[in-house]
Amino acid sequence: MDLNITCIPGDGIGPEIVAEAKKVLEKVAAVYGHKMNFTDILMGGASIDVHGVPLTDEAVATAKAADAVLMGSIGGDTTTSPWYKLPPNLRPEAGLLGIRKALNLFANLRPAILYDELAAACPLKEEISRAGFDMLIMRELTGGLYFGERRTVEENGVRKAVDTLVYDENEIRRIAVKGFDIARKRRRKVTSVDKANVLDSSRLWRKVVEEVAADYPDVTLEHMLVDNCAMQLVKDPAQFDVILTENMFGDILSDEASMVTGSIGMLASASLNDTKFGLYEPSHGSAPDIAGKDIANPIATVLSAAMMLRYSFDLDREADAVEAAVKQVLKEGYRTGDIMSPGCKKTGCREMGDLLAARIV
Ligand code: NAD
């Protein structure tokens, strides 16, 4: 395949980790006979420094013309960087919100995987972590409470604030379809999470998810209330395959799920629109405290690139090869500083990229 990928190196450790992900993708292209064309664009602080704004129309146009976008991360030290003296609409994060909106990315995917070799970092009891887990949280990203009408008023001297949680059936259907499609690439189980015992929006969510499920008889559907799901994530995380949920529940549950893995440098993510297009990025930030030192862990970005191969390009074999390379490198005892444990071999960011690329077969 001939693949056009727009890269956003971004700020802080972004350029270092994106360089390693490109290295691994280039090896995939060489081994599996693809051509990958990379075009870099500026976003966040890097764009502010050159253009005075965190995202230009030209950068958006370049991203839109690509088959997929691979991003590092954006932003600087929020207390010392001059970027944070700018008005909010000109700060680095405005670039991220702007590109998500421009690309209509409504589905956010965050895998939470416990690797055997990193089980010691898992904060759960050993009898729970021993079973391992490999789940994917699919969160609706452009609707619900964060986008509903809101206001703060004063009535008879009492301040009152109102937020509204709105979903229409089309918004629910398109994310449910994504969730079931993706479950077909995994273990074929969807846990739809809602608060249908209280909220009308959740009752509609449940109905529409059931309608979509009728088209996927090969995928098991279960419903779970969000409060129960929050408990089950720490009690028995191995039960989950795809967790499908609305915006705010997904925001909270995906952070909870990622924390039970215990390894921030390992967490990939993807945001998709209703075509095969997606923006792929690590879940962590730009880590300005370690930027430029060649010590960042590039694995979250490399695993995000694997998600790009799987979900935007349907190159499952190639995605499997990248994920297998990550497992192999961990098995051989190589670790960046953030996941280091006694007896392992400490590597830098570039060396980790070299090791991963060498294990793509
Ligand atoms: P962070 O995720 O950047 O860092 C938190 C801690 O984890 C730091 O100690 C950092 O050194 C460490 N860390 C993170 N990624 C690592 C990696 N790959 N390897 C080794 N260690 C790693 O969070 P923060 O410090 O709260 O935010 C820093 C900046 O990143 C802020 O400007 C924030 O707004 C931005 N941010 C951007 C995104 C994004 O681009 N999507 C997401 C979150 C935060």
Side-chain angles (χ1 to χ4, degrees):
M1 279 173 93
D2 202 347
L3 305 168
N4 294 311
I5 300 164
T6 291
C7 293
I8 306 175
D11 306 315
I13 59 171
E16 298 167 62
I17 54 183
V18 167
E20 300 318 307
K22 274 188 194 171
K23 193 186 279 176
V24 173
L25 284 173
E26 266 157 6
K27 182 69 187 293
V28 168
V31 171
Y32 290 88
H34 304 297
K35 186 158 183 293
M36 298 209 192
N37 311 302
F38 297 106
T39 311
D40 284 1
I41 59 172
L42 296 177
M43 199 175 95
S47 175
I48 295 171
D49 289 346
V50 176
H51 301 295
V53 290
L55 182 66
T56 61
D57 292 343
E58 293 72 33
V60 170
T62 306
K64 275 188 174 166
D67 298 316
V69 178
L70 179 67
M71 188 178 125
S73 45
I74 50 107
D77 185 318
T78 48
T79 49
T80 59
S81 164
W83 298 328
Y84 295 92
K85 304 225 167 11
L86 296 166
N89 64 324
L90 291 179
R91 290 183 193 170
E93 287 68 19
L96 189 55
L97 296 179
I99 203 159
R100 282 187 181 148
K101 193 159 176 230
L103 301 175
N104 195 23
L105 304 171
F106 66 83
N108 180 248
L109 278 66
R110 272 171 65 173
I113 301 169
L114 185 64
Y115 293 91
D116 288 349
E117 292 76 13
L118 303 182
C122 174
L124 302 178
K125 280 192 198 146
E126 207 211 317
E127 65 248 38
I128 300 171
S129 64
R130 206 181 304 126
F133 54 82
D134 177 355
M135 71 182 94
L136 188 140
I137 308 226
M138 174 124 203
R139 163 190 171 194
E140 203 289 329
L141 207 53
T142 58
L145 201 59
Y146 297 170
F147 291 88
E149 259 179 56
R150 66 178 62 107
R151 64 183 186 281
T152 304
V153 292
E154 195 165 318
E155 285 174 0
N156 304 322
V158 178
R159 285 171 296 164
K160 186 165 116 179
V162 184
D163 296 286
T164 45
L165 200 177
V166 185
Y167 272 110
D168 71 38
E169 61 178 306
N170 297 327
E171 291 172 297
I172 302 169
R173 188 168 293 109
R174 65 180 184 175
I175 184 99
V177 166
K178 280 268 179 228
F180 280 89
D181 281 346
I182 280 170
R184 275 190 170 156
K185 282 180 176 273
R186 297 175 46 95
R187 301 192 307 279
R188 294 175 186 253
K189 180 180 173 191
V190 170
T191 305
S192 175
V193 173
D194 61 37
K195 188 73 183 166
N197 52 344
V198 179
L199 300 175
D200 264 14
S201 55
S202 281
R203 284 189 274 271
L204 180 64
W205 179 279
R206 205 175 264 220
K207 267 197 200 109
V208 176
V209 168
E210 275 173 8
E211 287 162 17
V212 171
D215 294 331
Y216 296 82
D218 52 322
V219 178
T220 305
L221 169 66
E222 67 174 15
H223 299 284
M224 192 177 279
L225 296 175
V226 62
D227 37 354
N228 184 27
C229 185
M231 290 191 287
Q232 295 298 327
L233 277 173
V234 291
K235 196 170 160 231
D236 179 17
Q239 71 183 287
F240 295 112
D241 180 16
V242 174
I243 293 180
L244 172 68
T245 192
E246 62 94 52
N247 202 344
M248 183 178 64
F249 298 161
D251 188 7
I252 298 165
L253 294 176
S254 60
D255 269 10
E256 185 189 357
S258 58
M259 279 307 105
V260 296
T261 68
S263 309
I264 191 172
M266 301 288 297
L267 299 166
S269 91
S271 301
L272 310 178
N273 69 14
D274 51 7
T275 67
K276 286 273 173 194
F277 187 91
L279 182 147
Y280 298 83
E281 57 174 321
S283 295
H284 59 72
S286 59
D289 52 331
I290 58 166
K293 296 183 179 161
D294 189 34
I295 57 173
N297 185 349
I299 294 180
T301 317
V302 169
L303 289 172
S304 303
M307 291 180 83
M308 179 174 77
L309 295 171
R310 193 180 302 284
Y311 297 122
S312 279
F313 305 142
D314 280 321
L315 295 174
D316 288 20
R317 206 170 42 126
E318 288 80 343
D320 288 346
V322 175
E323 290 167 2
V326 168
K327 286 192 184 134
Q328 183 59 30
V329 161
L330 293 176
K331 206 167 152 200
E332 290 172 30
Y334 294 104
R335 304 279 190 275
T336 44
D338 58 313
I339 51 172
M340 185 63 192
S341 53
C344 290
K345 294 168 260 192
K346 197 164 175 180
T347 70
C349 183
R350 277 196 296 272
E351 188 187 357
M352 181 55 91
D354 290 340
L355 290 163
L356 292 168
R359 281 152 188 77
I360 300 290
V361 284

